[in-house]
Amino acid sequence: MRIGIVGGTGKEGTGLGTRWALAGHEVLIGSRDPERARARAAEVGARISGARVSGASNADVVRAADVVVLTVPATGLQATLPELREPCCGKVVISTVVPLTFGGGRLFTPPPQGSAAEEAQEILGAEARVVGAFHHIAAHELEASDHPVDCDLLLCGGDAPAKALVTELGASMGLRAVDVGPLTNAGALEGLTAVLATINRRYKLKNSGIKITGL
Amino acid sequence: MRIGIVGGTGKEGTGLGTRWALAGHEVLIGSRDPERARARAAEVGARISGARVSGASNADVVRAADVVVLTVPATGLQATLPELREPCCGKVVISTVVPLTFGGGRLFTPPPQGSAAEEAQEILGAEARVVGAFHHIAAHELEASDHPVDCDLLLCGGDAPAKALVTELGASMGLRAVDVGPLTNAGALEGLTAVLATINRRYKLKNSGIKITGL
């Protein structure tokens, strides 16, 4: 599959891109700055023999992609997404975005829509097939590509075929997918990432994750 | 320890009481209706040889308890807690309360304070030592007391000795505790329970739980 990663030069985007390139997908790394995207793509590509990884502007990446992944900071959604509304139309858009505020009173700070995924859905319009997923897969764990990621892939959204595609993308990097319902549950999934971020800080880890038991 | 469970006639309160009675703690089951509390206490006590389980009004239970556990519905906090403010003063108060709204558009519906735990803290006042915990330990799993609960105990709060006591209470029923920071993270923990409730419904389970990996 041809996977376009918006804001893909950050740690989460680069980690996901690395795992997907290893799985044989074509990875397009997007950035506001196409030069930066190309440099990061070259780095990722150089580490994986036979990898298909390239870089371009966010808009060019979305236009060329079969599936779009948002890995921008939550504060960047309002600036980044409006120009992507038309190219995202009809496409599966995976939001990995988590609205965290470090150093304030409260770590998890969702927008009025309830979650970053619902904010993205609002900006991109109803024809973007938004799925919330991958937030809680630690970037550090993704980049340590010598071993499988020890975490379940929790995902939510209103479009069943879109969720099936995300389930496949997870399976291609060895993750078990767990469907946690509609996009109105995205806030709970994003909040879980705040929990894992706190655990990482408190226990001096970089890669805490979760597994669902009883399943 | 003498554990007072406010609203303890419900499934979660009864399940927790059963596990703690099995671990040798004295369990006080509270209810608005002391008769109902005594009946439920007799039921739990009859199942466990040597158990110390009794029932009384919520206020009497809190007065007698070393540690207080809130297992009332989220919608009951405003009605139940004001009369418990004085007897909760100085005590560890564990909030297991989760603001879920079934059948609406959004399952997790936290109050303006950010979480039920923070709402409880506001009503009980600063001298109640509120810890958020046990929300996500399935009642069904607690009641199936023939096997260990397959779930980590995530807890949060601003009072380190209070969290140490909750860690002990968890350990007494075989749970590994994971400290997830201050009470401002309680919304994220409560939201996680919405995720597990959705998983239970979607996968036809009664006892999904979570384990933190990488720890």
Side-chain angles (χ1 to χ4, degrees), chain B residues 12-149:
Chain B
E12 186 75 10
T14 302
L16 288 169
T18 300
R19 291 276 177 171
W20 280 320
L22 278 165
H25 293 293
E26 183 176 350
V27 173
L28 311 176
I29 290 182
S31 170
R32 278 172 303 177
D33 175 357
E35 276 315 310
R36 217 170 144 227
R38 281 189 276 273
R40 181 53 54 98
E43 272 174 48
V44 172
R47 290 200 297 260
I48 304 163
S49 92
R52 294 175 295 161
V53 186
S54 59
S57 72
N58 284 324
D60 285 349
V61 154
V62 170
R63 266 186 215 100
D66 300 318
V67 53
V68 176
V69 184
L70 306 178
T71 61
V72 292
T75 50
L77 291 176
Q78 295 288 347
T80 308
L81 295 193
E83 66 157 345
L84 305 179
R85 185 181 167 110
E86 183 274 324
C88 279
C89 187
K91 289 185 180 170
V92 174
V93 177
I94 303 172
S95 171
T96 75
V97 180
V98 182
L100 298 182
T101 304
F102 292 94
R106 193 174 290 273
L107 183 57
F108 179 53
T109 45
Q113 294 87 347
S115 64
E118 288 160 291
E119 184 184 0
Q121 181 78 72
E122 186 177 293
I123 303 172
L124 293 174
E127 285 171 68
R129 302 164 65 196
V130 176
V131 175
F134 291 102
H135 330 73
H136 54 290
I137 312 289
H140 190 262
E141 188 78 352
L142 287 167
E143 288 221 56
S145 52
D146 56 325
H147 66 273
V149 175

Side-chain angles (χ1 to χ4, degrees), chain A residues 90-93 121 126-131 155-166 179 181-183:
Chain A
K91 289 186 180 168
V92 174
V93 177
Q121 182 79 72
E127 286 171 68
R129 303 163 66 195
V130 176
V131 175
L155 57 93
C156 66
D159 181 321
K163 288 199 279 194
L165 185 145
V166 177
D179 181 352
L183 207 64

Side-chain angles (χ1 to χ4, degrees), chain A residues 118-205:
Chain A
E118 289 161 290
E119 184 185 359
Q121 182 79 72
E122 187 177 291
I123 302 172
L124 293 174
E127 286 171 68
R129 303 163 66 195
V130 176
V131 175
F134 291 102
H135 330 72
H136 54 291
I137 312 289
H140 190 263
E141 188 79 351
L142 288 166
E143 287 220 58
S145 52
D146 55 326
H147 66 272
V149 176
D150 188 20
C151 192
D152 281 338
L153 172 62
L154 276 54
L155 57 93
C156 66
D159 181 321
K163 288 199 279 194
L165 185 145
V166 177
T167 297
E168 262 181 63
L169 284 180
S172 75
M173 60 171 85
L175 298 174
R176 175 178 77 160
V178 181
D179 181 352
V180 307
L183 207 64
T184 51
N185 271 347
L189 280 196
E190 295 170 10
L192 172 61
T193 308
V195 167
L196 296 177
T198 306
I199 291 171
N200 282 345
R201 200 163 28 176
R202 191 160 287 262
Y203 294 89
K204 304 197 192 315
L205 305 171

